[in-house]
């Protein structure tokens, strides 16, 4: 099952593992737009409250939705969240629908990258 859930081309992880250049963000964004598999981290509180979706916040208050290139990337964080598959159209709607989101944090356990709304322009166009 681990292998079947992986992107056969490993587009995102390959881009994140290579030396960083000015093109790395656009390479990862293009892989997302091309349909590389993604997952989000969700948590259901024990008290039955609303489901939470993992975000990261910077010291300056920027909010980044955490996304993962494989469910094992989420397990590496050891938080107990559940990996839920996410289609690029769903991702586009989620970001477009929340003006407070600055962008994405891809594979937070590392190697990772932050993608801003500018980096994700072509993806956000899917939500229109």
């Amino acid at each position: 099952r681990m292998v079947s859930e992986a992107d056969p081309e490993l587009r995102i992880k390959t881009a994140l593992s290579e030396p960083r250049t000015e093109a790395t963000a656009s390479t990862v964004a293009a892989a997302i737009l091309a349909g590389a598999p993604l997952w989000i981290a969700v948590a259901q509180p024990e008290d039955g409250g609303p489901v939470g979706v993992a975000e990261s916040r910077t010291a300056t208050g920027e909010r980044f939705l955490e996304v993962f290139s494989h469910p094992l990337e989420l397990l590496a964080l050891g938080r107990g969240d559940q990996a839920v598959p996410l289609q690029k159209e769903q991702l586009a709607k989620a970001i477009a629908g929340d003006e407070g989101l600055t962008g994405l944090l891809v594979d937070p356990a590392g190697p990772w990258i932050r993608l801003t709304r500018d980096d994700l322009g072509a993806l956000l166009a899917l939500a229109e």
Side-chain angles (χ1 to χ4, degrees):
R1 183 173 174 212
M2 282 184 340
V3 173
S4 70
E5 292 178 334
D7 177 6
E9 300 170 44
L10 299 173
R11 294 169 282 190
I12 293 174
K13 196 44 95 176
T14 298
L16 295 179
S17 297
E18 293 177 343
R20 297 295 169 102
T21 68
E22 291 182 15
T24 302
S26 62
T27 300
V28 174
I32 293 170
L33 186 62
L38 290 176
W39 287 262
I40 57 171
V42 297
Q44 176 71 45
E46 290 183 22
D47 64 3
V51 172
V53 176
E55 292 182 0
S56 292
R57 293 179 187 252
T58 66
T60 58
E62 295 173 309
R63 291 175 44 224
F64 290 86
L65 180 65
E66 293 181 4
V67 297
F68 302 85
S69 62
H70 192 280
L72 292 177
E73 295 290 333
L74 172 59
L75 288 175
L77 295 175
R79 299 188 304 210
D81 294 337
Q82 181 178 356
V84 175
L86 182 67
Q87 300 298 315
K88 65 182 179 184
E89 295 83 4
Q90 293 170 306
L91 179 59
K93 288 179 185 176
I95 298 169
D98 187 345
E99 291 294 323
L101 279 174
T102 305
L104 300 177
L105 177 59
V106 181
D107 287 346
W112 58 272
I113 193 168
R114 287 184 186 149
L115 301 178
T116 65
R117 285 179 171 272
D118 289 342
D119 296 325
L120 300 166
L123 178 72
L124 292 173
L126 295 176
E128 296 175 357

